[in-house]
Amino acid sequence: MNILILSAGTRNKIIQYFVKTLKGTGKVVATDMSDLAPAIYEADKYYIVPRMTAPGYLDVVLDICKKEEITGVLSLIDPELSLLAENRE
């Protein structure tokens, strides 16, 4: 199982929990729009992505999912959850 955690920001403990839990059975990939977001450095791999309101944002997320063989996606901000739900296909 490979998990993608979007908008990681300063939520280091959440990333640490997933990394510890999936150790050996999958990887944790994190994203944020800033390389100053400390939580991305806790993940097994990270990507800097555009702002969620930017054109093409969902295409970037989908590309990451394909490249990293992601089986689960978790957003840590509410507006992004709505965006993902509206575009679940």
Side-chain angles (χ1 to χ4, degrees):
M1 173 182 270
N2 296 331
I3 301 292
L4 177 62
I5 300 178
L6 304 170
S7 302
T10 59
R11 297 160 193 94
N12 297 55
K13 291 292 183 188
I14 292 172
I15 304 291
Q16 290 170 359
Y17 171 79
F18 277 100
V19 168
K20 182 179 178 183
T21 301
L22 292 179
K23 197 67 162 179
T25 62
K27 64 184 170 185
V28 177
V29 180
T31 69
D32 202 276
M33 63 179 204
S34 173
D35 62 352
L36 299 177
I40 61 174
Y41 301 105
E42 302 284 350
D44 297 312
K45 191 166 187 179
Y46 70 88
Y47 289 87
I48 304 301
V49 298
R51 181 179 300 273
M52 66 165 270
T53 56
Y57 173 75
L58 288 175
D59 292 329
V60 171
V61 171
L62 285 172
D63 287 343
I64 294 169
C65 288
K66 290 174 187 171
K67 182 177 180 181
E68 301 297 335
E69 300 178 355
I70 299 298
T71 54
V73 178
L74 171 66
S75 174
L76 298 178
I77 60 172
D78 291 343
E80 196 168 41
L81 288 172
S82 296
L83 177 67
L84 294 172
E86 291 168 3
N87 294 279
R88 65 183 167 264
E89 293 86 38

